[in-house]
């Protein structure tokens, strides 16, 4: 992710939880999203009435999943 893709707001990883890591820091974050991520994103996006690009990376997909879970109330 380049500096021009920075965002504000949203949730950030819990600094007290060592298992919580920002998706932009993932070693495999630039790889294409996984099949399960794609399927779940499809479900969440439909529920939220949104369309997302199909070429997201693993890290981007994770960020969108978190955002859409908050928006739709799923995953609580």
């Amino acid at each position: 992710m380049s500096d021009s893709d920075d965002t504000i707001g949203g949730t950030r990883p819990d600094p007290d939880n060592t298992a919580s890591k920002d998706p932009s820091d993932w070693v495999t974050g630039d790889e294409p999203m996984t099949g399960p991520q794609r399927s779940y994103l499809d479900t969440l996006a439909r529920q939220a009435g949104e369309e997302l690009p199909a070429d997201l990376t693993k890290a981007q997909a994770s960020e969108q999943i978190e955002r859409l879970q908050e928006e739709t109330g799923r995953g609580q």
Side-chain angles (χ1 to χ4, degrees):
M1 205 179 258
S2 69
D3 289 338
S4 64
D5 293 330
D6 287 347
T7 60
I8 57 172
T11 59
R12 296 288 181 232
D14 181 355
D16 297 327
N17 180 355
T18 57
S20 180
K21 190 171 184 181
D22 189 320
S24 64
D25 293 333
W26 292 355
V27 174
T28 61
D30 289 335
E31 293 178 3
M33 74 176 127
T34 65
Q37 281 180 311
R38 184 183 181 108
S39 177
Y40 191 43
L41 262 179
D42 183 52
T43 299
L44 289 171
R46 286 175 191 262
Q47 185 175 2
E50 292 188 24
E51 288 186 14
L52 299 171
D55 62 349
L56 297 175
T57 65
K58 285 181 182 179
Q60 291 169 328
S62 179
E63 291 167 349
Q64 291 295 330
I65 287 169
E66 288 181 21
R67 180 184 67 80
L68 289 169
Q69 282 178 326
E70 286 185 25
E71 188 174 314
T72 63
R74 292 182 65 131
Q76 303 295 325

